[in-house]
């Protein structure tokens, strides 16, 4: 058993992060396995080193000891580029020059599990036009999802306590694998990292369950192992809304400063006991 917790250093961790981190830690320790930390700092424009130290301090306060040194996504840019090259060589990705306004203006854009589905504006551009525009225009790289599905066939993945689920990557359209402002998207980086770290069980919020369709497709395309998944309910505040980093009252730093016992809090979270006013809800 090898689990992980992967915070993004873009703000203070809150009670929802503590819940996910504590569940992953408890699962690993109960099985005599390992618990790893990954710092998802691929977004250089928003990541801050101060939040890396703050996140590790929060985890230590919770008593969630980890194995080895934390892995930083910013150190793995070459790995993401190599994976993208593999897909490019198989003609499964294409450059996309569209802005958000371009996509929003397309009246034919349907909606999928994660919002608006890209309408394929750049999918069939002539090669000469692609080359010309790539030399001067910002662009991301999108997966040709339909071609990828034809390449690998039907796919399933295992959800703990629920059993096998059928993956439906086509519902997400041609997702971005490398952004205009970052060398990899969440989908590509997280899938590669979990495989390279040897993660056997991914424990994360139920808001990411739809993303597993895409991750399962990438695993098949890149010949990566598929872990067991557990998507847990989300922690919501007294107002019934899912916690966000802007919710200062629920930040672990604020709780620590108020004298809350971090280890006791982590134990309560694993047992499903939340502080007064907070609740667990499925999205």
């Amino acid at each position: 058993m090898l689990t992980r917790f992967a915070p993004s250093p873009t703000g203070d961790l809150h009670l929802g992060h503590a819940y996910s981190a504590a569940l992953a830690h408890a699962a690993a320790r109960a099985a005599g396995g390992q618990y790893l930390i990954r710092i998802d700092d691929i977004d250089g424009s928003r990541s801050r080193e101060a939040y890396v130290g703050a996140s590790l301090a929060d985890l230590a306060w919770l008593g969630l000891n980890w194995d080895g040194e934390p892995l930083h996504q910013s150190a793995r840019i070459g790995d993401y580029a190599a994976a993208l090259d593999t897909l490019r060589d198989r003609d499964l990705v294409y450059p996309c020059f569209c802005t958000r306004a371009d996509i929003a203006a397309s009246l034919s854009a349907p909606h999928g599990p994660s919002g608006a589905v890209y309408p394929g504006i750049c999918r069939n551009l002539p090669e000469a036009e692609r080359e010309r525009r790539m030399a001067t225009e910002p662009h991301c790289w999108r997966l040709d999802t339909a071609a990828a599905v034809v390449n690998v066939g039907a796919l399933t993945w295992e959800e703990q306590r629920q059993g096998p689920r059928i993956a439906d990557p086509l519902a997400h359209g041609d997702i971005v694998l490398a952004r205009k402002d970052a060398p990899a998207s969440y989908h590509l980086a997280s899938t590669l990292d979990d495989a390279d770290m040897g993660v056997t069980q991914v424990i994360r919020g139920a808001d990411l369950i739809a993303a597993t369709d895409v991750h399962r497709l990438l695993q098949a395309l890149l010949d990566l192992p598929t872990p067991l998944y557990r998507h847990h309910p989300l922690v919501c505040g007294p107002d019934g809304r899912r916690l966000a980093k802007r919710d200062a009252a629920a930040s672990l730093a604020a709780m620590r400063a108020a004298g809350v016992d971090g280890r006791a809090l982590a134990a309560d979270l694993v047992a499903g006991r939340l502080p007064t006013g907070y609740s667990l809800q499925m999205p």
Side-chain angles (χ1 to χ4, degrees), residues 77-94 134 139 141-143 177-178 183-184 188 192 218 221-222:
I77 293 174
D79 298 284
Y80 307 142
L84 192 64
D85 283 343
T86 296
L87 298 174
R88 190 182 292 112
D89 290 343
R90 294 166 62 183
D91 201 26
L92 293 176
V93 297
Y94 61 88
M134 285 171 59
H139 57 278
W141 286 91
R142 290 185 180 272
L143 179 70
L177 294 186
L188 181 61
L192 284 171
L218 291 174
L221 290 172
L222 297 169

Side-chain angles (χ1 to χ4, degrees), residues 89-278:
D89 290 343
R90 294 166 62 183
D91 201 26
L92 293 176
V93 297
Y94 61 88
C96 174
F97 309 92
C98 295
T99 64
R100 291 182 180 179
D102 293 333
I103 298 172
S106 175
L107 299 180
S108 62
H111 282 72
S114 302
V117 173
Y118 178 67
I121 298 169
C122 294
R123 184 186 305 121
N124 297 313
L125 291 178
E127 187 63 28
E129 182 179 351
R130 285 185 181 179
E131 294 295 331
R132 176 181 58 78
R133 297 182 67 178
M134 285 171 59
T136 59
E137 296 182 35
H139 57 278
C140 66
W141 286 91
R142 290 185 180 272
L143 179 70
D144 187 335
T145 304
V149 169
V150 169
N151 194 280
V152 301
L155 299 168
T156 62
W157 49 275
E158 190 81 10
E159 178 71 21
Q160 189 182 31
R161 303 175 182 173
Q162 295 182 22
R165 295 175 63 107
I166 298 173
D168 184 18
L170 287 173
H172 300 263
D174 292 352
I175 54 102
V176 173
L177 294 186
R179 292 163 33 192
K180 295 177 181 179
D181 59 347
S185 68
Y186 163 76
H187 295 302
L188 181 61
S190 184
T191 302
L192 284 171
D193 292 343
D194 285 341
D196 289 351
M197 292 170 73
V199 172
T200 61
Q201 183 174 17
V202 171
I203 298 175
R204 61 189 181 189
D207 55 324
L208 292 171
I209 195 167
T212 311
D213 292 336
V214 175
H215 298 178
R216 182 65 189 93
L217 176 58
L218 291 174
Q219 289 158 1
L221 290 172
L222 297 169
D223 195 25
L224 304 175
T226 301
L228 174 67
Y229 288 92
R230 176 182 173 186
H231 292 91
H232 58 70
L234 306 179
V235 177
C236 295
D239 59 359
R241 294 189 303 174
R242 170 190 170 190
L243 295 183
K245 288 182 176 178
R246 63 179 176 273
D247 297 315
S251 76
L252 301 187
M255 292 181 175
R256 180 155 39 113
V260 174
D261 184 330
R263 290 175 180 269
L265 174 62
D268 283 343
L269 292 175
V270 171
R273 298 187 296 267
L274 274 68
T276 302
Y278 294 92

Side-chain angles (χ1 to χ4, degrees), residues 43-55:
D43 188 342
S45 64
R46 298 176 61 231
S47 297
R48 299 292 183 268
E49 188 62 31
Y51 288 125
V52 175
S55 296

